[in-house]
mmCIF file of all heavy atoms in Angstrom:
data_model
loop_
_atom_site.group_PDB
_atom_site.id
_atom_site.type_symbol
_atom_site.label_atom_id
_atom_site.label_comp_id
_atom_site.label_asym_id
_atom_site.label_seq_id
_atom_site.Cartn_x
_atom_site.Cartn_y
_atom_site.Cartn_z
ATOM 1 N N ILE A 13 236.449 28.381 208.096
ATOM 2 C CA ILE A 13 236.224 27.576 206.911
ATOM 3 C C ILE A 13 235.861 28.502 205.768
ATOM 4 O O ILE A 13 234.995 29.352 205.891
ATOM 5 C CB ILE A 13 235.109 26.549 207.201
ATOM 6 C CG1 ILE A 13 235.504 25.630 208.369
ATOM 7 C CG2 ILE A 13 234.760 25.765 205.935
ATOM 8 C CD1 ILE A 13 234.378 24.790 208.913
ATOM 9 N N ARG A 14 236.564 28.342 204.696
ATOM 10 C CA ARG A 14 236.359 29.196 203.535
ATOM 11 C C ARG A 14 235.224 28.677 202.655
ATOM 12 O O ARG A 14 235.127 27.481 202.457
ATOM 13 C CB ARG A 14 237.631 29.308 202.728
ATOM 14 C CG ARG A 14 238.734 29.981 203.553
ATOM 15 C CD ARG A 14 240.028 30.077 202.791
ATOM 16 N NE ARG A 14 241.041 30.615 203.688
ATOM 17 C CZ ARG A 14 242.333 30.429 203.533
ATOM 18 N NH1 ARG A 14 242.768 29.703 202.557
ATOM 19 N NH2 ARG A 14 243.217 30.985 204.384
ATOM 20 N N LEU A 15 234.445 29.593 202.144
ATOM 21 C CA LEU A 15 233.297 29.233 201.243
ATOM 22 C C LEU A 15 233.663 29.643 199.858
ATOM 23 O O LEU A 15 234.155 30.729 199.625
ATOM 24 C CB LEU A 15 232.004 29.939 201.708
ATOM 25 C CG LEU A 15 231.463 29.521 203.051
ATOM 26 C CD1 LEU A 15 230.287 30.405 203.395
ATOM 27 C CD2 LEU A 15 231.075 28.079 203.048
ATOM 28 N N TYR A 16 233.355 28.766 198.915
ATOM 29 C CA TYR A 16 233.594 29.038 197.482
ATOM 30 C C TYR A 16 232.323 28.674 196.708
ATOM 31 O O TYR A 16 231.760 27.620 196.936
ATOM 32 C CB TYR A 16 234.775 28.202 196.949
ATOM 33 C CG TYR A 16 236.059 28.415 197.718
ATOM 34 C CD1 TYR A 16 236.373 27.612 198.799
ATOM 35 C CD2 TYR A 16 236.925 29.413 197.335
ATOM 36 C CE1 TYR A 16 237.560 27.798 199.491
ATOM 37 C CE2 TYR A 16 238.129 29.636 198.051
ATOM 38 C CZ TYR A 16 238.437 28.824 199.107
ATOM 39 O OH TYR A 16 239.587 28.987 199.819
ATOM 40 N N ASN A 17 231.910 29.552 195.819
ATOM 41 C CA ASN A 17 230.747 29.277 194.993
ATOM 42 C C ASN A 17 231.168 28.849 193.617
ATOM 43 O O ASN A 17 231.947 29.517 192.937
ATOM 44 C CB ASN A 17 229.859 30.517 194.904
ATOM 45 C CG ASN A 17 228.480 30.187 194.407
ATOM 46 O OD1 ASN A 17 228.274 29.166 193.778
ATOM 47 N ND2 ASN A 17 227.538 31.095 194.683
ATOM 48 N N LEU A 18 230.663 27.685 193.190
ATOM 49 C CA LEU A 18 230.982 27.124 191.867
ATOM 50 C C LEU A 18 230.011 27.589 190.799
ATOM 51 O O LEU A 18 230.098 27.131 189.674
ATOM 52 C CB LEU A 18 230.966 25.617 191.951
ATOM 53 C CG LEU A 18 232.006 24.981 192.899
ATOM 54 C CD1 LEU A 18 231.735 23.489 193.055
ATOM 55 C CD2 LEU A 18 233.421 25.236 192.391
ATOM 56 N N LYS A 19 229.084 28.502 191.150
ATOM 57 C CA LYS A 19 228.075 28.916 190.209
ATOM 58 C C LYS A 19 228.753 29.473 188.941
ATOM 59 O O LYS A 19 229.700 30.243 189.000
ATOM 60 C CB LYS A 19 227.223 30.036 190.819
ATOM 61 C CG LYS A 19 226.115 30.544 189.921
ATOM 62 C CD LYS A 19 225.271 31.568 190.678
ATOM 63 C CE LYS A 19 224.114 31.989 189.788
ATOM 64 N NZ LYS A 19 223.089 32.633 190.543
ATOM 65 N N GLY A 20 228.242 29.044 187.801
ATOM 66 C CA GLY A 20 228.768 29.513 186.554
ATOM 67 C C GLY A 20 230.049 28.913 186.094
ATOM 68 O O GLY A 20 230.673 29.316 185.121
ATOM 69 N N THR A 21 230.555 27.875 186.827
ATOM 70 C CA THR A 21 231.783 27.202 186.439
ATOM 71 C C THR A 21 231.443 25.915 185.687
ATOM 72 O O THR A 21 230.283 25.579 185.487
ATOM 73 C CB THR A 21 232.654 26.823 187.680
ATOM 74 O OG1 THR A 21 231.949 25.828 188.426
ATOM 75 C CG2 THR A 21 232.897 28.052 188.531
ATOM 76 N N GLU A 22 232.432 25.191 185.279
ATOM 77 C CA GLU A 22 232.214 23.942 184.580
ATOM 78 C C GLU A 22 231.726 22.806 185.499
ATOM 79 O O GLU A 22 231.370 21.736 185.037
ATOM 80 C CB GLU A 22 233.470 23.491 183.814
ATOM 81 C CG GLU A 22 234.623 23.090 184.723
ATOM 82 C CD GLU A 22 235.565 24.245 185.089
ATOM 83 O OE1 GLU A 22 235.192 25.414 184.990
ATOM 84 O OE2 GLU A 22 236.692 23.932 185.506
ATOM 85 N N TYR A 23 231.660 23.076 186.809
ATOM 86 C CA TYR A 23 231.226 22.040 187.756
ATOM 87 C C TYR A 23 229.766 22.111 188.008
ATOM 88 O O TYR A 23 229.278 22.262 189.123
ATOM 89 C CB TYR A 23 232.020 22.216 189.072
ATOM 90 C CG TYR A 23 233.509 22.115 188.878
ATOM 91 C CD1 TYR A 23 234.315 23.260 188.934
ATOM 92 C CD2 TYR A 23 234.139 20.907 188.599
ATOM 93 C CE1 TYR A 23 235.672 23.208 188.709
ATOM 94 C CE2 TYR A 23 235.491 20.814 188.409
ATOM 95 C CZ TYR A 23 236.266 21.985 188.458
ATOM 96 O OH TYR A 23 237.588 21.894 188.253
ATOM 97 N N LYS A 24 228.968 22.005 186.962
ATOM 98 C CA LYS A 24 227.537 22.157 187.018
ATOM 99 C C LYS A 24 226.838 21.035 187.799
ATOM 100 O O LYS A 24 225.775 21.221 188.369
ATOM 101 C CB LYS A 24 226.962 22.253 185.629
ATOM 102 C CG LYS A 24 227.388 23.505 184.864
ATOM 103 C CD LYS A 24 226.840 23.491 183.482
ATOM 104 C CE LYS A 24 227.272 24.624 182.593
ATOM 105 N NZ LYS A 24 228.161 25.631 183.090
ATOM 106 N N ASN A 25 227.426 19.846 187.824
ATOM 107 C CA ASN A 25 226.785 18.670 188.450
ATOM 108 C C ASN A 25 227.082 18.594 189.970
ATOM 109 O O ASN A 25 226.538 17.760 190.652
ATOM 110 C CB ASN A 25 227.242 17.390 187.755
ATOM 111 C CG ASN A 25 226.712 17.347 186.346
ATOM 112 O OD1 ASN A 25 225.685 17.920 186.020
ATOM 113 N ND2 ASN A 25 227.481 16.700 185.466
ATOM 114 N N ILE A 26 227.970 19.432 190.465
ATOM 115 C CA ILE A 26 228.326 19.390 191.879
ATOM 116 C C ILE A 26 227.414 20.321 192.652
ATOM 117 O O ILE A 26 227.223 21.464 192.285
ATOM 118 C CB ILE A 26 229.768 19.796 192.075
ATOM 119 C CG1 ILE A 26 230.719 18.761 191.420
ATOM 120 C CG2 ILE A 26 230.098 19.959 193.552
ATOM 121 C CD1 ILE A 26 232.190 19.114 191.502
ATOM 122 N N THR A 27 226.825 19.782 193.708
ATOM 123 C CA THR A 27 226.039 20.640 194.624
ATOM 124 C C THR A 27 226.961 21.175 195.698
ATOM 125 O O THR A 27 226.929 22.392 195.959
ATOM 126 C CB THR A 27 224.879 19.822 195.276
ATOM 127 O OG1 THR A 27 224.027 19.359 194.230
ATOM 128 C CG2 THR A 27 224.054 20.702 196.211
ATOM 129 N N ALA A 28 227.762 20.324 196.298
ATOM 130 C CA ALA A 28 228.682 20.803 197.343
ATOM 131 C C ALA A 28 229.776 19.745 197.562
ATOM 132 O O ALA A 28 229.551 18.573 197.308
ATOM 133 C CB ALA A 28 227.953 21.111 198.628
ATOM 134 N N ALA A 29 230.865 20.258 198.060
ATOM 135 C CA ALA A 29 231.999 19.373 198.431
ATOM 136 C C ALA A 29 232.878 20.106 199.441
ATOM 137 O O ALA A 29 232.933 21.333 199.420
ATOM 138 C CB ALA A 29 232.832 18.989 197.224
ATOM 139 N N SER A 30 233.524 19.358 200.302
ATOM 140 C CA SER A 30 234.446 19.926 201.261
ATOM 141 C C SER A 30 235.873 19.431 200.982
ATOM 142 O O SER A 30 236.036 18.298 200.542
ATOM 143 C CB SER A 30 234.101 19.494 202.687
ATOM 144 O OG SER A 30 232.821 19.936 203.014
ATOM 145 N N ILE A 31 236.813 20.306 201.201
ATOM 146 C CA ILE A 31 238.218 19.901 201.055
ATOM 147 C C ILE A 31 239.028 20.368 202.223
ATOM 148 O O ILE A 31 238.635 21.304 202.906
ATOM 149 C CB ILE A 31 238.822 20.470 199.741
ATOM 150 C CG1 ILE A 31 238.864 21.992 199.774
ATOM 151 C CG2 ILE A 31 238.106 19.955 198.509
ATOM 152 C CD1 ILE A 31 239.886 22.589 198.868
ATOM 153 N N PHE A 32 240.164 19.720 202.425
ATOM 154 C CA PHE A 32 241.149 20.179 203.397
ATOM 155 C C PHE A 32 242.486 20.231 202.652
ATOM 156 O O PHE A 32 242.961 19.224 202.118
ATOM 157 C CB PHE A 32 241.270 19.220 204.574
ATOM 158 C CG PHE A 32 242.273 19.622 205.584
ATOM 159 C CD1 PHE A 32 242.024 20.656 206.458
ATOM 160 C CD2 PHE A 32 243.527 19.014 205.647
ATOM 161 C CE1 PHE A 32 242.945 21.067 207.387
ATOM 162 C CE2 PHE A 32 244.469 19.389 206.570
ATOM 163 C CZ PHE A 32 244.187 20.437 207.457
ATOM 164 N N THR A 33 243.031 21.433 202.583
ATOM 165 C CA THR A 33 244.307 21.618 201.902
ATOM 166 C C THR A 33 245.012 22.842 202.496
ATOM 167 O O THR A 33 244.339 23.784 202.892
ATOM 168 C CB THR A 33 244.136 21.730 200.360
ATOM 169 O OG1 THR A 33 245.433 21.741 199.773
ATOM 170 C CG2 THR A 33 243.361 22.975 199.987
ATOM 171 N N LEU A 34 246.313 22.776 202.548
ATOM 172 C CA LEU A 34 247.111 23.887 203.071
ATOM 173 C C LEU A 34 246.662 24.305 204.479
ATOM 174 O O LEU A 34 246.549 25.465 204.780
ATOM 175 C CB LEU A 34 247.100 25.074 202.103
ATOM 176 C CG LEU A 34 247.598 24.794 200.713
ATOM 177 C CD1 LEU A 34 247.383 26.008 199.812
ATOM 178 C CD2 LEU A 34 249.072 24.360 200.715
ATOM 179 N N ASN A 35 246.283 23.287 205.298
ATOM 180 C CA ASN A 35 245.840 23.513 206.669
ATOM 181 C C ASN A 35 244.546 24.324 206.785
ATOM 182 O O ASN A 35 244.330 24.963 207.800
ATOM 183 C CB ASN A 35 246.950 24.132 207.502
ATOM 184 C CG ASN A 35 248.109 23.184 207.668
ATOM 185 O OD1 ASN A 35 247.927 21.980 207.844
ATOM 186 N ND2 ASN A 35 249.317 23.712 207.567
ATOM 187 N N HIS A 36 243.706 24.292 205.771
ATOM 188 C CA HIS A 36 242.443 24.986 205.844
ATOM 189 C C HIS A 36 241.346 24.089 205.240
ATOM 190 O O HIS A 36 241.599 23.346 204.284
ATOM 191 C CB HIS A 36 242.465 26.299 205.054
ATOM 192 C CG HIS A 36 243.154 27.413 205.723
ATOM 193 N ND1 HIS A 36 244.494 27.644 205.594
ATOM 194 C CD2 HIS A 36 242.699 28.289 206.634
ATOM 195 C CE1 HIS A 36 244.846 28.656 206.359
ATOM 196 N NE2 HIS A 36 243.779 29.093 206.996
#
């Protein structure tokens, strides 16, 4: 499972989210 940090992006209100795309 890949981890991505949204720190410093425009997604300031998101704490966390999971996605499934391209079989990952």
